[in-house]
């Protein structure tokens, strides 16, 4: 049996993505056994982020400065804009270091079932950014779900009046993937997006 405070910490950690009750208990035990080297630095880091966290007014990223580090970076290509559903998608794409441009976070995706409408997302600020000029390409990096593709289609319609090149992430067979393990939707998309062998 542990104290109510330790139980509360375990419960809080178990609500984090990827941590269940058992993993949370192991994490709490690790933190308690290493108070000086693990628990206290974690507490300081959490307090610092809590005190300084802001949403970037330009792209919607979460950072400790506004504009965020990506928007403030002069080495970024301001002519290329990648539109993502949420901050986790932005961080994943940015971590790959494959996209040299800037980002725009929608804050979700259109979903009639969940009642998410265009005005609930950061679509109007996206259109304003494109309308202001200086952007040559908009990459629609939506998830390969029905809602993600619906969102991409809606954004494409909204950006149609502007002289920008619209592109979309390729979908299909993943590197190292075996065909007999793929679902029909992935196979269908891979066949539709086939290209010549060079």
């Amino acid at each position: 049996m542990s104290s109510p405070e330790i139980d509360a910490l375990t419960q809080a950690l178990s609500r984090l993505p990827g941590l269940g009750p058992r993993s949370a208990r192991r994490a709490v035990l690790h933190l308690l056994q290493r108070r000086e080297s693990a628990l206290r630095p974690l507490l300081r880091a959490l307090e610092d982020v809590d005190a300084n966290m802001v949403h970037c007014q330009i792209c919607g990223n979460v950072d400790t400065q506004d504009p965020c580090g990506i928007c403030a970076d002069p080495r970024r290509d301001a002519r290329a804009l990648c539109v993502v559903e949420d901050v986790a998608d932005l961080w994943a794409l940015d971590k790959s270091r494959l996209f040299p441009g800037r980002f725009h976070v929608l804050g979700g995706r259109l979903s009639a079932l969940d009642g998410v409408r265009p005005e609930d997302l950061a679509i109007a600020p996206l259109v304003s950014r494109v309308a202001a000029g200086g952007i040559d390409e908009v990459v629609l990096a939506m998830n390969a779900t029905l809602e993600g593709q619906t969102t991409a289609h809606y954004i494409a319609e909204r950006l149609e009046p502007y002289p920008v090149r619209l592109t979309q992430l390729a979908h299909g067979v993943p590197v190292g993937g075996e065909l007999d393990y793929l679902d029909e939707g992935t196979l269908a998309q891979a066949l539709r997006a086939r290209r010549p062998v060079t």
Side-chain angles (χ1 to χ4, degrees), residues 48-116:
D48 286 346
V49 168
D50 183 48
N52 299 307
M53 185 193 83
V54 292
H55 282 87
C56 178
Q57 295 299 310
I58 298 172
C59 73
N61 189 14
V62 176
D63 205 335
T64 56
Q65 64 184 31
D66 185 17
C68 71
I70 294 172
C71 289
D73 187 349
R75 296 169 297 180
R76 293 283 183 158
D77 183 359
R79 295 169 298 151
L81 185 66
C82 183
V83 181
V84 295
E85 292 178 18
D86 56 42
V87 173
D89 298 333
L90 184 156
W91 288 1
L93 284 168
D94 190 51
K95 185 178 178 184
S96 74
R97 300 181 193 269
L98 297 173
F99 182 72
R102 302 216 169 133
F103 292 91
H104 186 89
V105 179
L106 293 174
R109 59 184 170 229
L110 296 174
S111 173
L113 290 175
D114 297 326
V116 180

Side-chain angles (χ1 to χ4, degrees), residues 7 29 64 68-69 73 91 93 102 112 135 137 144 148 165 170 182 194:
D7 282 342
L29 184 58
T64 56
C68 71
D73 187 349
W91 288 1
L93 284 168
R102 302 216 169 133
I135 297 173
E137 179 184 11
R165 184 167 58 107
L182 299 177
R194 66 188 183 272

Side-chain angles (χ1 to χ4, degrees), residues 112-143:
L113 290 175
D114 297 326
V116 180
R117 302 162 302 165
E119 51 270 19
D120 299 324
L121 303 176
I123 295 174
L126 168 64
V127 174
S128 296
R129 284 180 81 179
V130 172
I135 297 173
D136 296 333
E137 179 184 11
V138 175
V139 180
L140 300 176
M142 310 295 109
N143 288 314

Side-chain angles (χ1 to χ4, degrees), residues 10 75 179:
T10 305
R75 296 169 297 180
L179 296 179

